[in-house]
Amino acid sequence: MTDIATPGTDPDRPGLTTPQPGPDRPGLATPQPGPDRPGFATPQLGPDRPGFDGPETGPAGADPTTRDQAGRVIPDQTGTTSTGPAPSQGRPAVPDQGRPAVPDQGRPAVPDQGRPAVPDQGRPAVPDQAAGPNRPQQDGSTVAAPAGTAGAAGPVSPEQAVLGMPPPHQKTPAATPGDSAVPPSPAAPPVRSGTGTPAELFFEDLTPGRAFDLGVVRVDGDEMVAFARRFDPQWYHVDPEQAAASHHGGLIASGFYTVSLFMRAYVDHVLARAAADASPGLEELRWLAPVRAGDRLAVRLDVVGSRPSAARPGLGTVSLTGTMFRLGPDDQPDREVLRTRFRGWFTLRPT
């Protein structure tokens, strides 16, 4: 009896036996590639197939060589074929291949991302910008000065111009002797009167025709004799008995004592208020009647002339006349006893 072999089992078709390839069944043998079967030969890369020559040095499907549109290899500048990435020979740089540069990719530059520049973040402009090119505009923006230009406060650097920063303050150079402003002179002291009090009468106030009543002076007998004993000790001034036996009929006052009485009245009523200086002298002095103890003498001063002084700048010369009258029992002038004419210097009114 012939043995029946167990058929091999096929997972898809369990009833069929899977043919087993082998040398006794060439129809089922696996084709072997070789020179007699070019359809199955392994492609050989070489110079006759330029599309496939050159080793692959990059990722799958990448060609590291530089080629033209026809697929020909473009030699580099040294005449050899480049094996690395080709430089941009006649082609635009990568950032310009149909797309904008990175800063312009549909969004504003960083300083303008929906907010004002740093110097204007809710703060008022620097006061010094109001007079220079960095002053704020009506729309709230700030106009920066061109780089290298000077604003109201000082030069602006390129960085400050770009960022809108205010210009630096310009330091004032230190004052040098001779360049500094002349300090104000101290206030001039007030003009003093003849007795040292503030003056109220000046040269301009002593106009010709003006008269001053210097009051009434009563002659003191003891003072009269004491003055004579000190300055004019003549017998008719100091010896009562001898003076009584003479034609004087008694003691009479020294003429210089009478002048001294006039001078005291002049100081009390005029020079104590006037900006008076020294006097250039007397022009006239007359004793017209004897003066005795107990007499009451009325004193008067009249301005008879005035002119600016040629010898004393800032002063004016005033011509004055002084008189003394003895008063009677009815207080009326009885006799003129003294007349003097003199000049006095007075300060011009300050301007």
Side-chain angles (χ1 to χ4, degrees):
M1 179 179 294
T2 304
D3 294 333
I4 300 173
T6 304
T9 303
D10 188 321
D12 296 329
R13 305 186 67 181
L16 298 178
T17 301
T18 303
Q20 298 298 319
D24 55 346
R25 304 188 69 179
L28 297 174
T30 303
Q32 299 299 318
D36 56 345
R37 304 193 67 182
F40 295 94
T42 302
Q44 300 298 321
L45 301 179
D48 56 345
R49 305 195 66 184
F52 297 92
D53 61 350
E56 293 183 357
T57 58
D63 186 4
T65 60
T66 304
R67 303 176 185 277
D68 58 13
Q69 294 181 354
R72 293 189 296 266
V73 178
I74 299 175
D76 59 13
Q77 294 179 355
T78 60
T80 61
T81 302
S82 173
T83 59
S88 57
Q89 296 178 353
R91 294 182 297 178
V94 174
D96 296 330
Q97 292 181 354
R99 59 190 180 194
V102 173
D104 298 328
Q105 291 180 355
R107 59 190 180 193
V110 174
D112 299 327
Q113 291 181 354
R115 59 191 179 195
V118 174
D120 298 328
Q121 291 181 353
R123 295 179 296 191
V126 178
D128 290 337
Q129 293 179 348
N134 290 312
R135 60 186 181 275
Q137 304 300 303
Q138 294 181 353
D139 59 356
S141 62
T142 301
V143 177
T149 61
V156 180
S157 65
E159 294 80 1
Q160 292 170 335
V162 172
L163 298 178
M165 296 174 62
H169 284 283
Q170 207 170 32
K171 294 184 179 180
T172 303
T176 57
D179 294 338
S180 58
V182 177
S185 58
V191 180
R192 299 294 180 180
S193 70
T195 58
T197 59
E200 59 184 67
L201 291 175
F202 294 88
F203 167 80
E204 294 80 1
D205 301 314
L206 304 175
T207 56
R210 184 170 183 177
F212 295 88
D213 182 0
L214 306 186
V216 176
V217 178
R218 185 179 184 89
V219 179
D220 184 279
D222 293 338
E223 184 182 65
M224 180 186 75
V225 173
F227 179 90
R229 287 176 178 171
R230 175 69 175 85
F231 299 105
D232 189 7
Q234 299 183 69
W235 59 271
Y236 44 84
H237 297 320
V238 294
D239 191 342
E241 296 180 357
Q242 191 174 354
S246 69
H247 66 280
H248 295 294
L251 294 176
I252 58 174
S254 168
F256 291 98
Y257 174 69
T258 307
V259 172
S260 297
L261 294 178
F262 169 82
M263 188 67 197
R264 181 57 189 261
Y266 176 40
V267 170
D268 289 347
H269 294 275
V270 176
L271 298 185
R273 301 164 49 204
D277 206 284
S279 171
L282 294 172
E283 296 177 350
E284 179 185 8
L285 177 59
R286 297 183 67 185
W287 295 289
L288 302 173
V291 175
R292 302 178 187 274
D295 286 347
R296 295 181 301 127
L297 307 176
V299 187
R300 177 186 174 98
L301 179 72
D302 292 275
V303 179
V304 296
S306 64
R307 58 181 174 80
S309 174
R312 302 287 300 273
L315 299 178
T317 302
V318 179
S319 296
L320 303 163
T321 296
T323 55
M324 299 182 76
F325 295 89
R326 185 172 56 228
L327 298 178
D330 56 358
D331 292 335
Q332 295 298 315
D334 179 40
R335 180 79 184 267
E336 184 179 2
V337 297
L338 181 129
R339 183 185 302 159
T340 180
R341 183 183 177 94
F342 62 98
R343 292 176 295 164
W345 281 328
F346 293 86
T347 303
L348 276 63
R349 187 183 303 277
T351 57

